[in-house]
């Protein structure tokens, strides 16, 4: 019954030009153009998935479908590839917008900073400014999510989920100790080897190998991720990985503190990229935060076997927030919680809600309703 339900869910594939680079976007649900949709039926919220590295969005389709079903198919769930991690097939049209053509070229777009700007450029050109957002970052996508909140705090993010978050000390983690010399010192050896082995390989052979690997992992996918064996994409993934090892070192506590009320951290017990001690450290530093430790032995790469379990966790956490979407009182609520106040900025309750301020709150609430 569950598999039949998933088959009925529409998923639309687009290749767009974002920041001057072709980018794959997979859109779960019937909504394909939120920016130009002015109908009353346009959803008020977008669930936006930012993948790990490699940033192959096709691997996240089962997860997006599960999440779309669990949120009662009320909201679109979109997944974006990383810049340079997806190439459009020869027969696939690459869509462009006037906004993107006018966007300034992103410096080092395949690197760590460029990938963050790439996601922000997509939101600017394809998502309305008044659209509320739920951000879901996986692995290095969690780092991107925090940086997006830091750089553009006016984004209407109501919740952000950081799944198995690689947001600190990456090179010191068990996997990082192995990956750092490979990605930083022997990167060009990997480039040459990958090019010599994969470039001459016919597309049919690549497709057969990928289908076989997906079967072994019990991972069904309607979008064949041929980019997994594309030397250009693998080189960009390795380049990004090398920057991760060198630059993702210190946890950004300032950004976490500022947006703590929106954040949910989800750590694993068997994760060699962000071990349990990282969870214990952040839990100690932010005891009031929503920082969870998975007790189900879900691995870092949850998209291979545990899409439903992680989607269930997110959907359960979102129930209260999503139930308020479309409710007039939500606008008043969102004005108060869109930014997380620091303790020193909080006034005593009787001062913040004194009678002379009530007319102001009522006026803002009324204006918000009239605009929607």
């Amino acid at each position: 019954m569950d598999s039949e339900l998933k088959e009925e869910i529409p998923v639309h594939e687009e290749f767009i030009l974002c920041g001057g680079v072709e980018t794959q976007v997979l859109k779960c649900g019937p909504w394909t153009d939120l920016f130009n949709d002015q109908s009353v039926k346009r959803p008020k919220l977008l669930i936006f998935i930012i993948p790990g590295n490699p940033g192959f969005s096709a691997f996240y389709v089962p997860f997006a479908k599960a999440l779309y079903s669990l949120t009662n198919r009320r909201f679109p769930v979109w997944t974006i590839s990383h810049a340079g991690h997806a190439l459009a097939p020869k027969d696939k049209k690459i869509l462009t917008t006037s906004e993107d053509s006018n966007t300034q070229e992103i410096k080092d777009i395949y690197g760590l900073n460029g990938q963050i700007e790439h996601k922000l450029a997509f939101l600017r050109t394809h998502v309305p400014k008044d659209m509320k957002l739920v951000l879901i970052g996986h692995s290095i996508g969690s780092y991107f999510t925090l940086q997006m909140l830091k750089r553009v705090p006016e984004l209407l993010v109501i919740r952000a989920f950081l799944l198995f978050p690689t947001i600190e000390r990456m090179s010191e983690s068990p996997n990082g100790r192995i990956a750092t010399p490979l990605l930083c010192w022997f990167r060009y050896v990997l480039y040459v080897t990958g090019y010599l082995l994969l470039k001459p390989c016919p597309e049919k052979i690549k497709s057969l190998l990928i289908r076989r690997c997906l079967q072994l992992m019990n991972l069904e996918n309607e979008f064949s991720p041929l980019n997994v064996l594309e030397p250009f994409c693998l080189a960009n993934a390795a380049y990004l990985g090398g920057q991760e090892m060198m630059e993702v070192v210190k946890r950004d506590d300032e950004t976490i503190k500022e947006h703590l009320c929106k954040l949910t951290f989800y750590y694993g017990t068997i994760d060699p990229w962000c071990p349990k001690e990282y969870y214990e450290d952040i839990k100690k530093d932010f005891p009031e935060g929503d920082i969870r430790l998975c007790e189900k032995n879900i691995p870092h790469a949850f998209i291979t076997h545990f899409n439903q379990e992680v989607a269930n966790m997110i959907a359960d956490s979102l129930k209260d927030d999503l139930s308020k979407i479309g409710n007039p009182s939500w606008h008043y609520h969102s004005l108060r919680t869109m930014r997380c106040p620091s303790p020193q900025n909080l006034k005593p309750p009787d001062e913040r809600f004194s009678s002379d301020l009530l007319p102001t709150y009522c006026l803002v609430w009324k204006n918000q309703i009239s605009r929607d």
Side-chain angles (χ1 to χ4, degrees):
M1 180 65 184
D2 187 54
S3 60
E4 292 177 5
L5 183 65
K6 290 179 183 178
E7 286 298 322
E8 299 169 2
I9 297 174
V11 180
H12 177 72
E13 179 187 40
E14 286 182 358
F15 279 88
I16 63 169
L17 202 64
C18 182
V21 174
E22 57 190 87
T23 303
Q24 184 186 42
V25 182
L26 296 173
K27 302 179 176 182
C28 193
W31 309 278
T32 59
D33 187 356
L34 296 176
F35 204 82
N36 296 307
D37 185 358
Q38 301 299 324
S39 68
V40 294
K41 294 184 178 180
R42 191 192 80 181
K44 296 181 181 294
L45 177 138
L46 168 67
I47 300 174
F48 189 55
I49 300 173
I50 304 171
N53 184 18
F56 301 137
S57 52
F59 284 139
Y60 290 79
V61 170
F63 173 60
K65 283 186 172 184
L67 196 53
Y68 179 70
S69 294
L70 290 166
T71 52
N72 298 320
R73 306 187 179 206
R74 291 177 58 204
F75 309 104
V77 182
W78 291 4
T79 309
I80 187 171
S81 70
H82 293 327
H85 291 211
L87 293 176
K90 294 178 182 179
D91 58 345
K92 193 78 173 179
K93 182 180 179 182
I94 299 176
L95 306 177
T96 59
T97 65
S98 57
E99 290 84 359
D100 188 76
S101 60
N102 294 328
T103 301
Q104 188 175 2
E105 183 179 341
I106 298 173
K107 185 179 179 181
D108 191 22
I109 194 170
Y110 303 133
L112 198 66
N113 178 71
Q115 295 289 359
I116 298 164
E117 293 298 327
H118 173 258
K119 310 304 176 289
L120 291 172
F122 174 81
L123 293 178
R124 279 195 301 269
T125 55
H126 291 83
V127 179
K129 288 183 179 179
D130 62 346
M131 179 73 64
K132 295 178 178 67
L133 296 169
V134 171
L135 301 181
I136 300 175
H138 173 221
S139 190
I140 194 61
S142 300
Y143 178 85
F144 294 164
T145 299
L146 283 178
Q147 287 298 309
M148 290 165 69
L149 290 170
K150 180 179 183 177
R151 298 182 188 193
V152 190
E154 60 269 24
L155 285 174
L156 300 183
V157 177
I158 65 168
R159 289 291 294 277
F161 292 87
L162 311 183
L163 307 176
F164 306 94
T166 52
I167 57 174
E168 60 173 311
R169 294 177 282 174
M170 284 196 67
S171 63
E172 297 177 25
S173 67
N175 273 6
R177 294 190 191 101
I178 299 170
T180 298
L182 290 174
L183 296 174
C184 298
W185 305 336
F186 302 111
R187 190 173 79 237
Y188 294 103
V189 175
L190 294 177
Y191 291 171
V192 173
T193 303
Y195 187 87
L196 293 176
L197 290 176
L198 298 174
K199 193 63 178 178
C201 188
E203 295 294 313
K204 289 184 178 179
I205 301 298
K206 290 181 183 178
S207 181
L208 183 65
L209 288 172
I210 291 172
R211 282 202 302 269
R212 181 57 181 160
C213 288
L214 292 176
Q215 289 174 358
L216 291 173
M217 292 188 296
N218 195 28
L219 183 65
E220 296 181 8
N221 206 312
E222 59 202 84
F223 301 98
S224 179
L226 280 176
N227 296 306
V228 172
L229 297 179
E230 177 59 50
F232 173 76
C233 299
L234 291 176
N236 286 327
Y239 175 66
L240 174 61
Q243 290 198 0
E244 291 173 31
M245 298 304 119
M246 299 300 292
E247 298 182 31
V248 182
V249 179
K250 189 176 184 301
R251 194 179 63 208
D252 190 348
D253 287 351
E254 185 178 341
T255 300
I256 293 172
K257 182 179 180 180
E258 182 178 353
H259 299 279
L260 189 61
C261 62
K262 304 176 190 176
L263 301 175
T264 295
F265 295 84
Y266 194 70
Y267 285 84
T269 54
I270 54 170
D271 189 346
W273 282 111
C274 38
K276 189 178 176 181
E277 66 182 88
Y278 291 11
Y279 158 80
E280 293 168 348
D281 290 344
I282 193 172
K283 186 72 174 176
K284 179 182 177 181
D285 293 338
F286 297 97
E288 71 280 18
D290 185 8
I291 303 168
R292 312 181 190 184
L293 182 66
C294 171
E295 300 293 349
K296 300 179 181 180
N297 286 335
I298 296 177
H300 185 85
F302 74 91
I303 53 174
T304 55
H305 294 97
F306 295 92
N307 293 297
Q308 194 67 44
E309 289 82 353
V310 177
N312 283 336
M313 181 276 294
I314 293 176
D316 287 342
S317 301
L318 282 174
K319 277 182 180 178
D320 288 342
D321 289 325
L322 298 187
S323 67
K324 297 165 186 169
I325 302 294
N327 184 342
S329 64
W330 162 256
H331 301 290
Y332 173 68
H333 171 81
S334 64
L335 284 172
R336 293 175 54 208
T337 60
M338 199 60 69
R339 298 284 182 87
C340 303
S342 58
Q344 59 268 30
N345 292 332
L346 286 176
K347 298 178 181 179
D350 56 337
E351 184 179 348
R352 287 186 294 125
F353 296 101
S354 59
S355 57
D356 60 329
L357 289 179
L358 285 175
T360 304
Y361 284 122
C362 293
L363 179 60
V364 172
W365 179 77
K366 182 180 179 181
N367 289 338
Q368 282 291 320
I369 294 176
S370 62
R371 277 202 293 270
D372 285 352

